[in-house]
Amino acid sequence: MTLPAWSGSTPPDAIFLAHGIFMQSLYNHSDWDFWARWYRGMWDGTFRDWDLATEAALIPNEVWEGEDAVAKVAEAIREIEARLLIDRLPQVEEVFEDAGGRYDVRTTGFDSNRLIDSIENRVRFTLDLAVRSNACDLNEMSTAAKVLRHALDNCLDDPNAVEQFLRRASDMIRARMADGSFANDDELDMLVATLDELALQLRADHPDVAQAVDARASQRFKELDTAQRLAGAQLIEDLREGTTGRLDAELGLATETLRDGSSDTANADALKQSGNRAGKISLAERAKAAESSGPMAGLKIGLRAHKVVDFVLGLISSGPM
């Protein structure tokens, strides 16, 4: 199975020609996509996805029958591929909103490439808008613009660097707006809001970035004084009002842990976990606000989530994370 079909020899011309024609016929129809990959892999000795092949072979007989059998089998294989992809991806937490408008948490697969692609597209779009604006004074020679171009052109394979450059550029632009060097216009506001949101999304959703943030934060979280610990507990308790299920229960445990205060390590873990989840809720609420959707009650949980995020980031550094 690991060798080409014609290992050590050359296939006769007639067979090689037939092989090429057959492969072309498979590639011409999307419903034969899996079979094209399977056949080519068997010919070359490179097919390795035996989990997928086994599950394809076990598709029930009735799916293979009838005039529309090809389309039905193709759809069944696509469903298997999607499920296997989720199973193979790194497992991360997803905070989601239930039918009643309350947030809960579950484990899901994570595709880092898709997240980075989305971030690249959004930053390029909002940066180009701001640079082309005639009102805000940001241009390609601005340090903030150079930082962002560097992140987009050279650092997409390093999510920690991307997160740090997004924050750095946002801080620079805010400072320029504050001292009047940059005029405050819609395009620049949109760029800053996008940079802040995407940096938050990387911290909340990308395992590598979240791990790096945790490493920077651990010692500072262990140095909490009593007032900070109790303040954090109250903010997390307030956030519970808009949650349900597992998330509600675990935020409650984080609150109890901080109020108990007997273990510095436990306090740090409770704050890191709660801050990460608050960040995801904040992102979801920002998206709803951008779409002008969701009940007015959503504003309350969005503000409470933002307060938890601000509190946690304030403990980590004197400036925004």
Side-chain angles (χ1 to χ4, degrees):
M1 294 296 184
T2 61
L3 296 175
W6 291 88
S7 178
S9 63
T10 302
D13 290 345
I15 290 179
F16 187 76
L17 177 61
H19 163 74
I21 294 172
F22 182 55
M23 285 301 305
Q24 189 59 50
S25 69
L26 292 178
Y27 286 134
N28 284 340
H29 301 281
S30 60
D31 283 344
W32 291 96
D33 177 67
F34 165 74
W35 302 106
R37 286 182 281 124
W38 176 83
Y39 179 80
R40 180 60 184 265
M42 295 299 287
W43 178 275
D44 294 338
T46 57
F47 187 82
R48 299 289 183 270
D49 201 346
W50 297 109
D51 289 341
L52 174 58
T54 300
E55 294 213 27
L58 294 175
I59 294 172
N61 288 341
E62 56 267 23
V63 179
W64 301 82
E65 299 170 351
E67 295 182 359
D68 59 347
V70 171
K72 291 191 298 182
V73 170
E75 181 59 28
I77 291 175
R78 282 191 283 267
E79 291 177 1
I80 293 169
E81 287 182 300
R83 176 169 47 77
L84 289 176
L85 178 63
I86 293 285
D87 291 343
R88 292 165 178 169
L89 290 173
Q91 297 300 297
V92 298
E93 281 190 348
E94 175 189 35
V95 171
F96 67 97
E97 192 173 4
D98 71 3
R102 293 178 176 271
Y103 286 96
D104 201 350
V105 65
R106 62 191 170 201
T107 301
T108 186
F110 171 77
D111 187 344
S112 59
N113 291 330
R114 184 173 298 177
L115 174 61
I116 294 298
D117 287 346
S118 172
I119 287 173
E120 177 188 6
N121 291 336
R122 290 185 62 188
V123 174
R124 285 194 191 279
F125 175 73
T126 52
L127 175 59
D128 287 344
L129 278 181
V131 167
R132 292 171 186 169
S133 168
N134 294 320
C136 73
D137 304 310
L138 179 74
N139 59 63
E140 294 290 359
M141 298 307 296
S142 304
T143 304
K146 291 179 180 179
V147 165
L148 290 175
R149 293 297 184 199
H150 174 71
L152 295 171
D153 295 339
N154 303 306
C155 301
L156 293 178
D157 59 347
D158 184 352
N160 279 300
V162 172
E163 187 264 344
Q164 291 165 19
F165 282 128
L166 295 183
R167 288 191 289 109
R168 186 185 302 178
S170 176
D171 287 350
M172 289 178 179
I173 295 171
R174 287 179 189 278
R176 291 290 189 181
M177 292 168 69
D179 68 17
S181 300
F182 288 167
N184 192 340
D185 74 343
D186 291 343
E187 286 81 1
L188 205 56
D189 286 342
M190 181 187 298
L191 175 59
V192 170
T194 299
L195 297 178
D196 291 345
E197 176 185 339
L198 296 180
L200 176 59
Q201 187 170 16
L202 277 168
R203 294 193 298 271
D205 288 337
H206 200 294
D208 293 344
V209 179
Q211 185 176 21
V213 172
D214 283 352
R216 297 198 301 269
S218 291
Q219 186 56 41
R220 300 190 188 185
F221 283 157
K222 291 179 182 179
E223 297 170 352
L224 293 175
D225 60 34
T226 301
Q228 290 173 319
R229 181 166 48 78
L230 295 179
Q234 187 58 55
L235 290 173
I236 294 169
E237 180 65 26
D238 292 342
L239 183 61
R240 290 183 64 190
E241 183 180 329
T243 64
T244 189
R246 174 185 157 193
L247 182 55
D248 175 51
E250 293 182 2
L251 289 176
L253 290 173
T255 300
E256 289 187 30
T257 299
L258 288 166
R259 286 175 175 162
D260 176 74
S262 58
S263 167
D264 290 343
T265 300
N267 294 338
D269 288 343
L271 278 171
K272 286 188 291 185
Q273 184 186 57
S274 300
N276 179 271
R277 290 166 169 182
K280 294 183 178 184
I281 293 174
S282 180
L283 284 171
E285 290 298 312
R286 288 188 189 197
K288 285 164 57 178
E291 297 172 0
S292 299
S293 64
M296 290 300 292
L299 296 175
K300 182 184 293 184
I301 188 171
L303 290 172
R304 290 178 175 179
H306 187 67
K307 286 182 179 179
V308 174
V309 173
D310 276 353
F311 176 80
V312 170
L313 296 184
L315 294 176
I316 296 172
S317 66
S318 56
M321 267 297 285

